Amino acid sequence: TNDPIDDEVFVVERGGRGLVIEYPSFFENIEELTRYLADAGVEVEGILAAYHMAGASFLPGTPVYATASADAYGHEGGGRALIDGFAAAFGDAFDCSVPAVTNVLGAGSVEIAGITVNVLPNDEAFDVEIPALGAVYTHMLGHDCHSIVAGAGHADAIIEQLEGYLADGVDLVLTSHYTPEDLKDVQAKIDYLEDLKAIAARSADAAAFKAAVEGAYPAYAGQNY
């Protein structure tokens, strides 16, 4: 999106019909993406709002698809807390408005703009498989980047999810916080998460844990996580 927090938004297009995965949330970039879509002749027929719901001024009136968990996450959960934090940090440049979900999704396939996607719900929101591309969209991967891991149980849930990608032979992993990745990167993340659990198990406190992780992964980005 070329915005101050380097988020990524994906447009999946077939024959001039398109769907968008995630919202751009800064006004300048909303204008930029809207202009790009018009110039490219892509008619967006739906927006999949998973982890990033700020930016309701983007393509108003377009159907908004989300699971019930994502709806709650964006309107009053952890996603809402992040939106409020960004609004305080970036002020008028940031579109803190959250769209109303028009189409509530469950697990399974749905067709939008002639494109079949598989919805994979989780506790926070949902991931999106795009079978025609051999691709999956998830919030975070980053084979050499720290990410949000809220304890050993969460690590196990992420590992289970990533092992599913390996089993399915997904060729392309898209995230809103990193460059496109592939199965070797998925395996690297699984190895990292297993190591993270082991480091946590032998650490006496948060400071010791952080120091050990930094020592084991000195070149990793995402130190804020």
Side-chain angles (χ1 to χ4, degrees):
T1 55
N2 196 33
D3 69 24
I5 52 178
D6 290 324
D7 284 337
E8 298 189 26
V9 173
F10 298 94
V11 180
V12 186
E13 178 266 342
R14 173 179 285 161
R17 303 170 67 192
L19 64 89
V20 172
I21 302 175
E22 300 293 27
Y23 271 84
S25 54
F26 286 78
F27 286 109
E28 283 189 359
N29 311 109
I30 289 170
E31 179 183 337
E32 184 179 36
L33 183 54
T34 301
R35 187 168 59 249
Y36 166 81
L37 290 166
D39 291 346
V42 177
E43 186 68 31
V44 175
E45 298 181 16
I47 301 170
L48 288 161
Y51 302 91
H52 294 176
M53 276 197 175
S57 65
F58 176 64
L59 300 182
T62 303
V64 180
Y65 295 78
T67 61
S69 60
D71 194 3
Y73 179 75
H75 281 87
E76 62 261 357
R80 179 77 240 186
L82 290 171
I83 290 168
D84 292 343
F86 288 135
F90 296 107
D92 292 342
F94 184 80
D95 181 359
C96 62
S97 62
V98 180
V101 174
T102 60
N103 299 68
V104 178
L105 300 172
S109 64
V110 62
E111 185 177 299
I112 305 169
I115 300 162
T116 298
V117 299
N118 296 329
V119 175
L120 309 172
N122 55 50
D123 289 342
E124 284 185 340
F126 63 99
D127 294 345
V128 182
E129 286 184 340
I130 312 165
L133 297 177
V136 65
Y137 166 76
T138 189
H139 188 207
M140 290 182 169
L141 184 61
H143 64 279
D144 58 358
C145 181
H146 301 295
S147 54
I148 297 170
V149 185
H154 188 206
D156 285 336
I158 300 170
I159 289 167
E160 182 180 3
Q161 173 190 21
L162 296 179
E163 287 177 340
Y165 298 167
L166 294 178
D168 292 343
V170 170
D171 296 316
L172 177 67
V173 181
L174 305 172
T175 82
S176 45
H177 294 281
Y178 205 76
T179 54
E181 295 176 278
D182 59 23
L183 288 184
K184 73 177 185 303
D185 302 317
V186 171
Q187 185 60 58
K189 194 70 172 187
I190 291 172
D191 296 342
Y192 160 85
L193 290 165
E194 294 286 9
D195 197 24
L196 210 64
K197 287 166 49 184
I199 292 171
R202 63 176 183 263
S203 296
D205 54 34
F209 170 74
K210 290 177 183 177
V213 172
E214 288 173 357
Y217 300 95
Y220 265 42
Q223 288 289 327
N224 54 309
Y225 292 122

